[in-house]
Every structure is written in structure tokens, then in C-alpha cells.
Amino acid sequence: MEKDQNINPEGQNEEVKETETEEEILEEQADSTEKKEEVKEVTPEERIKELEDKVARTLAEMENQRRRFEKEKDDAFDYGGFSFAKEALNLIDNLERSKQILESDEVLKDTEVLKKTLEHFEIISKDMISIFSKNGITPVVSVGKKLDPNQHQAMMEIDDDQKEPGTIVQEIQKGFMMKDRLLRPALVGVSKKTKVQDDQKSEENDENLAN
């Protein structure tokens, strides 16, 4: 009898556990059913509006891509030869250097040969500038203008009391634009006041302060 009494409690415990498990499953099913009922049913009108929004976003994205492609195409057409044009400027530079070398040659100086050679160089230079201009490449205007960091690069300062400080008085190397882009900055010399005038201004300022 004692053995039977010992076995029965274990069986009862197993029955209790099975009952608890069944109750938990039923509760989970009930919760799942409630959650499904809580989900709001989408009406046909709402579904149509959702699809319209998706279509509108897709069309807007396609339009943005089209505009990007158009801009890239235009840039490729307008500036596709940018690197080539930049390299081609070396021809003008070399032509200008050759002119300067010939002009400084004492043997050729004031000779008819030099005169005619320089005339031919000038014709070639003008033809090259003309060809560049037809392709949207134009020289940067420098001498007499105020220094513009977007187009000019100052290489030295030159004493000049007749010009406002920062005025370009010498062009060392021509600069060029390719349409609205800087192809190469102009290398220039800019004016500055002489040291004597600066000292005089300092003395005048000191006198004014003293008075």
C-alpha cells in the first residue's frame, strides 16, 4: 500500500502538468485570435491610395534619374575635351616662349628675318586662339583688372604707385576658361605701393595720432 501511495502523487503531478500545458496552449491560441481580430482590415480605397503613392514615388525617382542622366550627358558634351584642351595650351605656351627667345637674340635683333618670323608666329598664335574660341575656350582677361582668385594666380608683387594695390600689371602666363569652368588660371604680377610711400603713410598716421 505504501508503494501505491508513493506512485500516485507522481501520476497526479504529471496530470497537473498536462492540464497546465493545455491551458497555456489554449491561452496562446486565444491571444493569437485576438491579435488577428485587432489587425485592421484594409479597405479597397485605402489599398488604391497606397498603390497610387507608390506609383507617384516611382515616377518621381525616374524623373530624378532622367535629369541626372541629362546633366551627365550635357557635361560630357560640353567638357568632354577638358583634359585635351588643357594639354593643348602647352602649344600656345611654347609658341610664346619661342617668340621671347628670338626677340632677345642679339644676332637676330632688328633683322628682317626676325621680323617676318615673329609675324608668322603671331598669325599662328591668333589662329590657335580663334580655334579655341570656337570650341568655347577663351583667354582670361588679366592686365588692368583687379586680382580675382577664381581666375588669377599672383606670382609676384611689383612696385607701382600709379595703380591700386592688387591690380594686375603683368601677365606671366595666359589663363583660359572653358565655357564657365576655369581651364587654367592666369599667372600674373600685381601692383603694390612702394615702401617709401608706406613709410610716409606710417609717419603721417603717427603725426595725426600725436596731434
Side-chain angles (χ1 to χ4, degrees):
M1 292 292 294
E2 290 179 359
K3 289 182 179 179
D4 293 341
Q5 288 176 356
N6 292 334
I7 292 170
N8 287 338
E10 292 179 359
Q12 289 176 357
N13 289 338
E14 289 179 357
E15 289 178 359
V16 170
K17 288 181 180 179
E18 288 178 358
T19 304
E20 289 178 352
T21 304
E22 289 177 358
E23 289 178 354
E24 289 175 356
I25 292 172
L26 290 173
E27 286 178 1
E28 288 177 359
Q29 290 177 345
D31 291 341
S32 177
T33 303
E34 289 178 1
K35 288 179 180 178
K36 287 180 180 178
E37 290 176 354
E38 289 176 0
V39 176
K40 185 179 178 182
E41 292 185 3
V42 178
T43 64
E45 290 79 8
E46 290 173 334
R47 183 59 177 164
I48 290 171
K49 189 175 187 320
E50 182 182 345
L51 291 173
E52 287 177 344
D53 290 341
K54 287 182 178 179
V55 170
R57 286 196 295 270
T58 302
L59 290 174
E61 186 176 347
M62 290 174 64
E63 179 63 17
N64 289 336
Q65 286 182 348
R66 186 190 68 79
R67 289 177 181 173
R68 283 197 297 270
F69 291 151
E70 286 291 329
K71 187 177 184 305
E72 289 173 2
K73 183 189 74 174
D74 292 341
D75 286 348
F77 181 79
D78 291 338
Y79 305 106
F82 193 88
S83 297
F84 173 77
K86 197 169 184 179
E87 291 294 329
L89 295 180
N90 291 328
L91 298 173
I92 293 178
D93 297 339
N94 291 333
L95 192 63
E96 189 63 31
R97 291 191 193 100
S98 298
K99 286 170 61 179
Q100 292 173 1
I101 291 171
L102 290 173
E103 287 172 340
S104 61
D105 191 313
E106 293 297 330
V107 176
L108 295 174
K109 195 172 184 179
D110 298 327
T111 63
E112 192 65 25
V113 173
L114 176 60
K115 182 180 177 182
K116 290 204 173 286
T117 302
L118 294 178
E119 286 177 357
H120 286 299
F121 275 20
E122 189 64 27
I123 292 171
I124 294 171
S125 179
K126 287 180 178 179
D127 284 345
M128 292 180 67
I129 295 293
S130 176
I131 291 169
F132 282 171
S133 296
K134 289 176 182 177
N135 288 274
I137 302 168
T138 53
V140 172
V141 179
S142 300
V143 177
K145 299 288 184 180
K146 292 290 287 184
L147 182 71
D148 180 357
N150 295 316
Q151 295 184 336
H152 309 119
Q153 182 176 342
M155 302 301 292
M156 60 182 177
E157 290 183 315
I158 301 171
D159 292 337
D160 192 333
D161 298 328
Q162 304 300 317
K163 301 283 194 310
E164 286 294 322
T167 301
I168 298 171
V169 293
Q170 182 180 347
E171 184 178 64
I172 302 167
Q173 185 182 73
K174 279 186 178 297
F176 287 87
M177 299 287 295
M178 188 171 186
K179 296 189 176 178
D180 59 346
R181 290 188 185 179
L182 182 65
L183 189 60
R184 184 181 75 183
L187 306 183
V188 298
V190 296
S191 63
K192 70 169 185 174
K193 294 297 182 184
T194 60
K195 191 174 185 305
V196 174
Q197 282 209 344
D198 291 339
D199 292 342
Q200 287 177 348
K201 284 185 178 179
S202 298
E203 290 176 1
E204 289 175 0
N205 291 334
D206 291 341
E207 290 177 359
N208 291 333
L209 290 172
N211 295 332

